[in-house]
Amino acid sequence: MSDLSSLICDRIRDVPDYPQPGVMFKDITPLLADPAVFTAVVDELAGAYDVDKIVGIEARGFILAAPVAYRAGAGFVPIRKKGKLPSETLEESYDLEYGSATIEVHRDAFTEGDRVLIVDDVLATGGTAEATVELVRRAGAEVVGVAVLMELAFLKGRERLAGVDLRSLVIV
Ligand SMILES: O=P(O)(O)OC[C@H]1O[C@H](OP(=O)(O)OP(=O)(O)O)[C@H](O)[C@@H]1O
Ligand SMILES: Nc1ncnc2[nH]cnc12
């Protein structure tokens, strides 16, 4: 395991049975509160891709994706839960580890052919990431990759992202 991966592991707290029995919740708030680790994560992701836009997924994805966009000199595009974006949207519905949701992106969020990196905190079943890839492509952009802090390998989310470059800073 790399130095950064072990720092990340040390700063992610396991919370059993949240938000429902049987789920081991990966809480990133200790990592966010540690300036050295938070900065190292943002720098690592911002330096690894040549993209026009970074996409962040509400809500935890925003916390990582916005500083990555700033550091990379890229634009930031929010993917929001249904009903929060004010202009015309595209939407996708999906299931995740502990529920289901519908997400949206503004129809005009991208310039045709924009190269895009999707950033989120956790990849679990992959439902959220798969729906986001679909939305970005429907909106006319190219998905260069998906980057997450932590991948829960036993939920096999990676299998739902066939053909997509997936980078997980930690795989558990
Ligand atoms: O791989 P999946 O099974 O789809 O799960 C991963 C998603 O679940 C969490 O978001 P959540 O919908 O809980 O929203 P939040 O960021 O608002 O807490 C997490 O931030 C990912 O986006
Ligand atoms: N176990 C988990 N911990 C944190 N975020 C999640 N999103 C989906 N499953 C999760």
Side-chain angles (χ1 to χ4, degrees):
M1 192 181 276
S2 73
D3 288 351
L4 180 56
S5 301
S6 65
L7 287 171
I8 292 168
C9 281
D10 286 350
R11 289 287 181 271
I12 292 184
R13 170 169 55 194
D14 282 356
V15 182
D17 299 321
Y18 181 88
Q20 61 193 40
V23 174
M24 180 62 77
F25 192 84
K26 301 294 183 180
D27 175 20
I28 65 165
T29 60
L31 181 153
L32 299 173
D34 183 324
V37 183
F38 189 20
T39 305
V41 164
V42 169
D43 287 350
E44 177 66 25
L45 295 178
Y49 300 87
D50 176 19
V51 292
D52 303 297
K53 303 232 166 69
I54 306 286
V55 161
I57 307 165
E58 185 179 0
R60 279 174 274 151
F62 288 175
I63 301 167
L64 293 171
V68 171
Y70 175 82
R71 182 71 95 195
F76 173 75
V77 172
I79 297 274
R80 297 212 61 180
K81 304 279 164 57
K82 188 176 170 64
K84 297 290 186 179
L85 287 172
S87 190
E88 208 181 326
T89 61
L90 300 170
E91 68 176 55
E92 287 281 330
S93 297
Y94 59 97
D95 293 322
L96 69 161
E97 193 185 4
Y98 38 69
S100 60
T102 301
I103 50 174
E104 295 183 312
V105 69
H106 274 144
R107 248 179 210 282
D108 62 357
F110 304 103
T111 302
E112 189 71 27
D114 264 353
R115 290 166 49 78
V116 168
L117 173 68
I118 296 165
V119 173
D120 206 355
D121 62 336
V122 173
L123 182 83
T125 65
T128 307
E130 183 184 34
T132 302
V133 167
E134 185 62 25
L135 270 187
V136 171
R137 288 179 174 159
R138 284 175 58 203
E142 177 192 348
V143 176
V144 168
V146 173
V148 297
L149 265 184
M150 179 167 274
E151 173 181 348
L152 309 183
F154 71 99
L155 290 169
K156 301 189 188 316
R158 184 173 282 273
E159 293 176 8
R160 297 175 70 164
L161 298 176
V164 177
D165 179 65
L166 169 65
R167 177 155 185 228
S168 310
L169 297 182
V170 172
I171 302 178
V172 293

